[in-house]
Every structure is written in C-alpha cells, then in structure tokens.
C-alpha cells in the first residue's frame, strides 16, 4: 500500500490539537487555531533566529559572565575561563558540566539546526529518519543550556555582600540567555515535515 | 503497574474511522482505537503518533494537584542556606530573581521568574483545571484556551534546569561557608518529578478528543 501525505490530499493536521481537517477551512474546527499544511515561512524564520543567535554567541563568550570580588581585588570570568579555572583546580566534574551545557550544546545545536535547514531546502542527502532523530535531540537538550544563567543568578543571590567575597553578573549573561531563547525559537519554528517533503521530491515550503 | 484486563480506548466524537497525520513526516493513516498501555506509531517514519496511557485523567489530576502543593512549599521555604561568618543568606527563586534585579539585570530577573514560576504554574495549573473536571465529562469555561496556553508553555518550563543549577552552584561555592539544604530543595525535587509525571500522564490527542466530547454536551 502506498503511503500518502496529508498535504497531498489537501488535509492539514492542526499544530495544537492534531485533528486532521481540510486546509480550506482556515481554522481548526476543534480548537480554532489556524490551519497550515506546513508551518508558515518555517525555513526563513528558523534562519532568522539562527543567525541572530550565532551573532549573540560571540559577545556571550567574549564578555565576562560573572565577576567575583574578593579582598585581593575583582576577577572577571568569561564562560571559558571559568571552565579552565575549574579544570586547573581539579574540579573536573564541574568543568565538564559547564563546558557541555554552555559551550558544546549551543554550538552543536546551531550546527544541527543549520544542517536541518540545508537538508529541508534539499542541499544535502541524509536519510530523513536520521535527521528527524537529530531534530528530536536538538529540541530535547536546548533548554538545558539555560543552566549557566541560573547558576549565576543563584550565586549572586547566595553570595551577596558576604564577608569573604561578592559575586556580580557580567554583561555576557544577557546575550547568553538570548542565545538560548533564540535557538529554542529556531527549533520550534522548524517544521520536520519539510525533510520528508524533500525526500519524496516535493517542495511544500511555500504552501499556506 | 500493568493491569491484567486491558482497559478500553477513550471515547471519540465520531464513531467512524478517523485519520491522523504524522507530525514528523505527514503520512496520512487511519487512527485505530487503542487499549490502555498501547501506542500507535507512524508506518513511514516510526515516530509515535499517540498513546492510550493508563488511567490518564486520574494520573494527570493527581500529579498536578501534588505539584501545586509542592509549588507552594518551594516558594515558602528556602532551598539553600549559606552561613558565612555572621552573614546568613537564604535562597528562594524569588530571591534569586530579586538579586538579579538589584544588580541591574531586570531582563534576566523577568526571565528567571517566567521560566521557573509562571510557565510551570500555567502548565500544572492549566492541566489540573482541564483534566480534573474532564473526569466527570465536564469542560469548565475557557477550557480550550487554557489547554492551548499550557501546551504552549511546556517547552518554557525550566524548573528542572534551575534545580540542576542549584547543584552546580553548590559545587562552585564549596568553601565559602556552611551550606544547608532546606525544605525548598526537596519540595523542588518533588515538584519536578510530579510535573513530569503529570505531563506524561495524558496524551495530547486523547485530551482533545475528550475535551471535544465534553464541549459537545454543552451545546
């Protein structure tokens, strides 16, 4: 039996409630959200969020994310120098956790989303099954990068103007939070069905 | 726990066969009714289409009300207390946000409050508001809108990330003073677990099918 796509029959499944109804209705009869065959302007939106997040990734890594003031003076830590300090001190676990949450995951996520966008535009020939798996992973791990932002705010709250030291947030924290939020938006606006459309030799990226 | 006699499938508004389209590859296929515990997978890409989760409404109701109780505890009791000399610092989510606000980062403060208080509250509260009356076949006013909002809030609820953040912050703090873990920390752990169980309790298609029937009765 040949498997047909819903789009080929003019049917759209609602993004919110999953009910399949004719796309001409405009709105889902069950939950009243707008019906689309594919997420509208999926690739353009994903690219926009992606480019913005890549641009903000540089200040996030080059500016200090937190400064620690001690009696001897203040030290400014970027994300990478924080990781290196922990590694030198012998706290390998913390160093690895922060490195993977703040540097590795965002970079891998951006690369993965670029790859997915290229594949959805028909520029590469990877099997859509593997690409769907890649999409699942990017969706799953994206929010964990926020951990560094929370760590800084927890440290600021716990070590205010203590007797020993005080911790202040640096300018990088805002751009880093923006990177995480923008990559999450990029993943949400990407439509994995475009991968299969390419695989089957159809282009539905401009459909309503 | 697996029951010996498998439960029935959930009711649908149309008696005839209905169709689903896979969310990942858009393959159109018939949607069979499932016994409790069974799942339907896409015949082209193998992703899960929907699942009949055992006693879904009861689970969603129970876990989300437990989560709401934990949520109150999280905001009343401090998660971590640090004694350094004569100074004592307590940490709740609101204090973490407040510290950011005072240090001139209002956006981060707003983000922290949204990701760890507002989004989890909308998610858990909305699920309770919809699924508790649905057990009796009733849809409260605005149930559709509430369902829409809590589904949209799901990816933005980051309480488990915050909990993980506390653990890393504790590893970083190390030698600064005496650290005590408080009630808030255990309440937060309970909240994270209960939220995950509440969301995993009910399938999205099932929720909407049941909602549709409850709303239909009103008309």
């Amino acid at each position: 039996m040949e498997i047909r796509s819903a789009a080929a029959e003019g049917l759209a499944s609602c993004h919110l409630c999953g009910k399949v109804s004719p796309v001409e209705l405009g709105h889902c009869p069950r939950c009243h959200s707008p019906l689309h065959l594919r997420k509208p302007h999926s690739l353009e939106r994903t690219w926009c969020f992606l480019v913005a997040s890549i641009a903000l990734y540089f200040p996030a890594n080059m500016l200090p994310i937190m400064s620690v003031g001690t009696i001897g003076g203040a030290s400014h830590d970027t994300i990478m120098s924080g990781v290196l300090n922990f590694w030198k001190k012998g706290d390998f676990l913390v160093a690895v956790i922060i490195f993977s949450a703040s540097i590795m995951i965002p970079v891998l996520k951006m690369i993965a989303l670029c790859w997915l966008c290229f594949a959805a535009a028909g520029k590469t020939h990877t099997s859509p099954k593997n690409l769907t798996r890649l999409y699942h992973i990017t969706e799953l791990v994206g929010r964990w990068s926020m951990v560094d932002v929370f760590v800084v705010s927890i440290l600021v709250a716990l070590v205010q103007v203590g007797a020993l030291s005080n911790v202040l947030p640096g300018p990088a924290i805002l751009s880093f939070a923006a990177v995480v939020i923008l990559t999450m938006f990029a993943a949400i606006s990407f439509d994995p069905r475009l991968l299969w459309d390419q695989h089957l030799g159809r282009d539905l990226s401009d459909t309503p | 726990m697996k029951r010996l006699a498998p439960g029935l499938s959930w009711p649908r508004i149309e008696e005839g066969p209905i169709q689903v389209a896979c969310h990942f590859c858009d393959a159109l296929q018939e949607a069979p009714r499932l016994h409790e515990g069974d799942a339907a997978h896409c015949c082209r890409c193998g992703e899960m289409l929907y699942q009949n989760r055992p006693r879904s409404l009861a689970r969603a109701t129970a876990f989300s009300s437990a989560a709401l109780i934990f949520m109150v505890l999280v905001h009343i009791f401090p998660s971590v207390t640090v004694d350094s000399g004569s100074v004592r610092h307590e940490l709740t989510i609101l204090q973490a946000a407040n510290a950011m606000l005072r240090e001139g980062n209002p956006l981060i403060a707003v983000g922290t409050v949204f990701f760890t208080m507002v989004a989890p509250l909308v998610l858990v509260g909305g699920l309770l508001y919809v699924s508790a009356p649905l057990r009796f076949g009733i849809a409260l006013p605005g149930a559709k809108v509430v369902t829409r909002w809590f589904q949209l809030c799901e990816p933005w609820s980051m309480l488990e990330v915050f909990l993980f953040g506390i653990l890393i912050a504790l590893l970083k703090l190390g030698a600064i003073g005496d650290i005590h873990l408080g009630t808030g920390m255990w309440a937060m752990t309970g909240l994270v677990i209960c939220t995950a169980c509440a969301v995993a309790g009910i399938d999205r298609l099932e929720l909407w099918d049941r909602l549709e029937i409850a709303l239909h009765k009103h008309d």
Side-chain angles (χ1 to χ4, degrees), chain A:
Chain A
M1 192 192 84
E2 199 214 352
I3 304 164
R4 302 269 291 163
S5 280
E9 313 270 333
L11 296 170
S13 79
C14 174
H15 297 302
L16 190 70
C17 73
K19 190 183 175 74
V20 176
S21 25
V23 71
E24 300 92 63
L25 289 179
H27 286 268
C28 174
R30 177 152 77 177
C31 67
H32 300 299
S33 36
L35 281 181
H36 307 284
L37 287 182
R38 298 289 176 262
K39 289 180 189 170
H41 307 293
S42 168
L43 286 183
E44 288 93 329
R45 280 192 201 181
T46 311
W47 274 124
C48 286
F49 286 125
L50 209 51
V51 169
S53 65
I54 292 170
L56 280 169
Y57 189 72
F58 291 100
N61 273 286
M62 287 184 307
L63 295 173
I65 193 155
M66 135 180 132
S67 56
V68 182
T70 48
I71 308 161
S75 69
H76 302 282
D77 265 347
T78 61
I79 295 176
M80 198 60 211
S81 75
V83 172
L84 287 178
N85 282 344
F86 277 109
W87 190 264
K88 273 184 228 150
K89 263 198 288 175
D91 281 334
F92 301 118
L93 181 68
V94 191
V96 168
I97 291 174
I98 299 174
F99 180 77
S100 38
S102 313
I103 295 176
M104 207 172 74
I105 289 180
V107 169
L108 288 181
K109 197 177 169 186
M110 287 172 199
I111 294 173
L113 281 168
C114 285
W115 189 7
L116 285 171
C117 280
F118 278 123
K123 303 283 197 308
T124 63
H125 299 282
T126 322
S127 88
K129 241 182 190 164
N130 291 338
L131 289 170
T132 311
R133 208 165 293 150
L134 185 68
Y135 179 69
H136 269 301
I137 297 169
T138 46
E139 247 192 336
L140 205 71
V141 300
R143 38 217 288 275
W144 285 95
S145 307
M146 205 53 130
V147 78
D148 223 33
V149 177
F150 290 145
V151 167
V152 174
S153 57
I154 291 163
L155 285 177
V156 172
L158 277 181
V159 196
Q160 285 168 359
V161 202
L164 290 169
S165 59
N166 72 69
V167 176
L168 291 175
I173 189 169
L174 198 60
S175 17
F176 190 74
V179 168
V180 181
I181 293 171
L182 286 169
T183 48
M184 280 177 72
F185 271 122
I188 289 173
S189 48
F190 182 78
D191 194 336
R193 289 173 292 189
L194 295 174
L195 299 169
W196 284 87
D197 290 342
Q198 280 303 326
H199 185 66
L200 300 169
R202 285 175 296 136
D203 191 5
L204 289 166
S205 54
D206 289 332
T207 50

Side-chain angles (χ1 to χ4, degrees), chain B residues 20-40:
Chain B
V20 282
C22 174
H23 259 294
F24 291 93
C25 71
D26 209 30
L28 192 64
Q29 42 213 311
E30 293 256 305
R33 285 162 167 271
L34 299 177
H35 286 304
E36 274 191 356
D38 287 352

Side-chain angles (χ1 to χ4, degrees), chain B residues 110-131:
Chain B
V110 171
T112 307
V113 168
F114 179 77
F115 294 139
T116 57
M117 291 175 71
V118 180
L121 181 67
V122 173
L123 176 60
V124 174
L127 187 62
L128 184 64
Y129 182 84
V130 174
S131 62

